[in-house]
Amino acid sequence: MSTVSTSDMKAGVKILIDGVPFSIVENEYVKPGKGQAFNRVKIRNLKTGRVIEKTWRSGDSFEAADVEERDLQYLYTDGEFWHFMDPANFEQHTADKTAVGDAAQWLKEQDEVRIMFWNGQPLTVTPPNTVTLKIVETDPGVRGDTVTGGTKPAKLETGAVVKVPLFINEGEVIKVDTRTGEYLSRVK
Amino acid sequence: MKPDWRPGASLETLKARAELLGSIRAFFHARGVMEVDTPILSRHATVDRHIESFHVPGAGLWLHTSPEFAMKRLLAAGSGPIYQLCHVFRAEEAGRWHNPEFLMLEWYRPGWDHHRLMDEVEALMRAVGVGREAAFERLSYREAFRRHAGLDPFSAGLAELREAPVRRGCALPEGLAEPDFADRDLWLDLLMSAAVGPRLGGGTPCFLYDFPASQSALARVRLDDPPVAERFELFWNGTELANGFHELGDAAEQRRRFEADRGWRRERGRAVPPYDANLISALGAGFPDCAGVALGVDRLLMLLRGLPDLAATLAFDSARA
């Protein structure tokens, strides 16, 4: 078991607190010249994504969390689990609904996603920042209307619903930012 | 991190550093304060509870954490006013405001008390371009805590001291052992770092003076009610720049403090270095009544240049050294 001291807690280092994995977001060492040293640390709960603040005595240490990130190819879902493959060694991995979360609506077969593993099990699934997806359902386009700025909902092949400009038609392929869920452009 | 041979400071900053050092030397030369040069390696080390020395294994030597003991021996030998610009070393201190090796300016004024020395610190600051017309603020430790921590640091109960950081947005420290949990100074130090210090010296620098006697370090204690340490710190834009004392000159009291600090360290399983018995002898031989102060030159440069961290003021910080 390796440990991480407050002085090793650079941003991105993963530690275990009461059995929960956290990632260091920010670590500030504070010490009056003649006084006692503390580290004021912001950490992200890797299960919930929530960021919390902690104050620790400098020199305190925690167990390192066995967390690693890898880019895997999305294969398919059977409704209950999502299946991925590591292109490096063709190993397959299965993630449940908790791990996949909101990423599910952006997952298209063959796309590469980033998966965080904790003790060898997928903990979170992050889709690419932008995805290219086909529109499977939307109201008919308004010909020539490229200037009014109006939008309408469009359902994508992966199930996500995004707002698109009025001139976009069913069957077209668009690029979407998965972090904001916003339409970016039409792909020809 | 990718290894990078280049300096962390820009060439412009290195030039500003050279000019700052030149201004400091010119300041003291004009005032008849002699520059001295004392050893960095010593057979003794500080036993200060919260300052850790680097030990040089094999040689039985320690890297100094400040030139204080050696300079005091010079004062006892009749040196008159002296200053020194030197690198000092403190293990475990690294962060935005800290580097384990840093440049310290330290000087001593025989016949002066800490208030008169504050005047000279202010004059030096102005000479290197800090502050405008307004006089630097002077706040007692007590007044600063009343103003920025909402409590009296001398009379507040432990429960109040423990709650105060949380009320000011600082998470409650975790994993404290019992003796630490009951240590008033621990809570005062945390409040200083989290709430009081950051609010001191915005724009115009501020002196904080008359610390709790429990934080006297090497300062005289004045028997007011409550007793206070004749100690001061300088803050500018929320950052501590200097720490000064009306120096303790009592050899027996100095020995008692060293022994108490060693005991404190021993109880907690910390390193217990040998203290400098030469200092005790020097104090006993007739140490002049004097005031002394140490100032972090890298931090001063960081604030003067508006730089984001100490590494940006150093040719090579510890990650590049």
Side-chain angles (χ1 to χ4, degrees), chain B residues 46-49 68-69 72 212-223 227-231 245-265 275 279-280 283:
Chain B
T46 185
V47 290
D48 189 297
R49 296 176 188 191
E68 180 157 10
F69 301 157
K72 284 182 170 172
S214 53
Q215 297 179 23
S216 59
L218 284 82
R220 289 178 184 220
V221 171
R222 191 173 73 238
L223 294 175
V228 292
E230 293 192 329
R231 177 182 157 194
F245 301 139
H246 187 191
E247 302 290 347
L248 177 67
D250 179 335
E253 168 65 8
Q254 183 66 71
R255 183 188 296 277
R256 196 196 58 73
R257 288 192 198 173
F258 278 162
E259 291 296 354
D261 287 343
R262 278 166 59 94
W264 187 94
R265 288 181 152 272
Y275 62 78
L279 175 67
I280 308 288
L283 294 182

Side-chain angles (χ1 to χ4, degrees), chain B residues 6-17 301 305 307 311-315:
Chain B
R6 285 167 299 197
S10 68
L11 293 178
E12 208 184 5
T13 299
L14 292 177
K15 196 174 161 216
R17 169 180 284 271
L301 182 62
R305 306 280 304 164
L307 296 168
T313 73
L314 301 166

Side-chain angles (χ1 to χ4, degrees), chain A residues 1-180:
Chain A
M1 178 185 94
S2 66
T3 59
V4 179
S5 150
T6 51
S7 57
D8 307 321
M9 291 183 184
K10 310 259 183 288
V13 168
K14 314 289 193 301
I15 59 170
L16 215 51
I17 303 174
D18 298 330
V20 178
F22 286 85
S23 171
I24 308 296
V25 177
E26 227 177 85
N27 177 8
E28 186 158 59
Y29 173 85
V30 294
K31 179 185 188 301
K34 293 274 179 194
Q36 321 208 20
F38 293 91
N39 286 71
R40 298 185 63 189
V41 187
K42 285 187 181 153
I43 54 175
R44 173 175 285 112
N45 182 322
L46 292 177
K47 284 183 158 177
T48 66
R50 255 187 77 214
V51 173
I52 54 172
E53 289 186 35
K54 294 278 187 184
T55 302
W56 291 319
R57 284 293 284 280
S58 295
D60 282 359
S61 55
F62 293 83
E63 195 179 330
D66 176 16
V67 171
E68 58 159 349
E69 287 187 310
R70 267 146 59 194
D71 292 329
L72 302 194
Q73 197 177 56
Y74 170 57
L75 298 177
Y76 66 96
T77 176
D78 56 26
E80 192 180 355
F81 294 101
W82 283 255
H83 301 268
F84 303 86
M85 184 187 70
D86 190 334
N89 54 18
F90 307 108
E91 229 172 68
Q92 290 201 17
H93 297 273
T94 302
D96 64 12
K97 203 175 174 125
T98 318
V100 176
D102 287 344
Q105 61 178 332
W106 305 113
L107 295 181
K108 189 177 139 194
E109 288 165 20
Q110 314 296 323
D111 274 1
E112 240 184 34
V113 299
R114 174 148 296 185
I115 298 193
M116 192 177 339
F117 289 89
W118 177 36
N119 295 331
Q121 294 299 314
L123 185 66
T124 58
V125 175
T126 311
N129 290 343
T130 62
V131 289
T132 302
L133 297 169
K134 192 172 173 182
I135 296 177
V136 293
E137 203 183 311
T138 191
D139 290 341
V142 180
R143 186 178 296 273
D145 185 0
T146 56
V147 288
T148 57
T151 61
K152 59 181 179 179
K155 190 175 177 191
L156 307 179
E157 58 182 311
T158 53
V161 175
V162 298
K163 283 185 178 147
V164 298
L166 296 176
F167 59 84
I168 300 285
N169 286 305
E170 208 168 285
E172 285 194 272
V173 176
I174 62 167
K175 197 186 228 184
V176 181
D177 188 323
T178 60
R179 293 162 296 185
T180 58

Side-chain angles (χ1 to χ4, degrees), chain B residues 186-267:
Chain B
L186 178 144
W187 299 100
L188 291 173
D189 285 341
L190 180 60
L191 273 171
M192 176 61 86
S193 292
V196 181
R199 288 174 182 81
L200 297 177
T204 301
C206 169
F207 288 105
L208 201 64
Y209 65 92
D210 286 355
F211 281 61
S214 53
Q215 297 179 23
S216 59
L218 284 82
R220 289 178 184 220
V221 171
R222 191 173 73 238
L223 294 175
D224 287 2
D225 183 23
V228 292
E230 293 192 329
R231 177 182 157 194
F232 69 91
E233 286 189 343
L234 174 66
F235 283 81
W236 185 29
N237 292 334
T239 298
E240 179 193 331
L241 277 183
N243 177 78
F245 301 139
H246 187 191
E247 302 290 347
L248 177 67
D250 179 335
E253 168 65 8
Q254 183 66 71
R255 183 188 296 277
R256 196 196 58 73
R257 288 192 198 173
F258 278 162
E259 291 296 354
D261 287 343
R262 278 166 59 94
W264 187 94
R265 288 181 152 272
R266 209 173 288 120
E267 272 169 31

